[in-house]
Amino acid sequence: MSPRRNRQHGGAKSVDRTGGDRYGLERTEEWRGEDWVVRLVGGGGAAKHYRCPGCDQEIPPGVPHVVAWPQHGDVDDRRHWHKACWNARDRRSARLQRSRNAPRY
């Protein structure tokens, strides 16, 4: 009796690059009456510290997150959000206050 093979047989799989929730692909969402470009960034693509505008907490390097900016905005308008904070952005208040000693990124 031959041993059982658990690996897949066949050629390389094709990768769908047309959209979906894959990291690095952009999509457009409407928020506050404006179109926003949203890009998911994988942990390997996150190399710096960022401050999430949704919870005012730090996003450390290596953590997957969302980058969003107005469609007709500038590069300086990009904001890095935790994915959960971006999904809950309509339920969060705009009255977040940064502590006196918090770093400004």
Side-chain angles (χ1 to χ4, degrees), residues 46-52 57-62 65 80 103 105:
K48 292 173 35 181
H49 288 270
Y50 299 103
R51 174 119 355 231
C52 175
Q57 297 296 313
E58 190 174 274
I59 302 172
H65 61 276
H80 296 255
Y105 292 113

Side-chain angles (χ1 to χ4, degrees), residues 33-79:
E34 189 175 3
D35 287 335
W36 288 69
V37 180
V38 178
R39 179 185 297 161
L40 295 172
V41 177
K48 292 173 35 181
H49 288 270
Y50 299 103
R51 174 119 355 231
C52 175
C55 64
D56 201 35
Q57 297 296 313
E58 190 174 274
I59 302 172
V63 174
H65 61 276
V66 174
V67 180
W69 64 95
Q71 188 172 19
H72 300 291
D74 194 27
V75 174
D76 295 334
D77 295 333
R78 290 184 297 190
R79 297 292 175 257

Side-chain angles (χ1 to χ4, degrees), residues 9-53:
H9 295 287
K13 291 185 175 184
S14 63
V15 177
D16 178 23
R17 301 207 186 266
T18 58
D21 283 336
R22 295 195 182 273
Y23 291 115
L25 295 179
E26 297 174 0
R27 65 181 185 270
T28 305
E29 294 184 19
E30 185 178 312
W31 183 45
R32 294 185 178 170
E34 189 175 3
D35 287 335
W36 288 69
V37 180
V38 178
R39 179 185 297 161
L40 295 172
V41 177
K48 292 173 35 181
H49 288 270
Y50 299 103
R51 174 119 355 231
C52 175

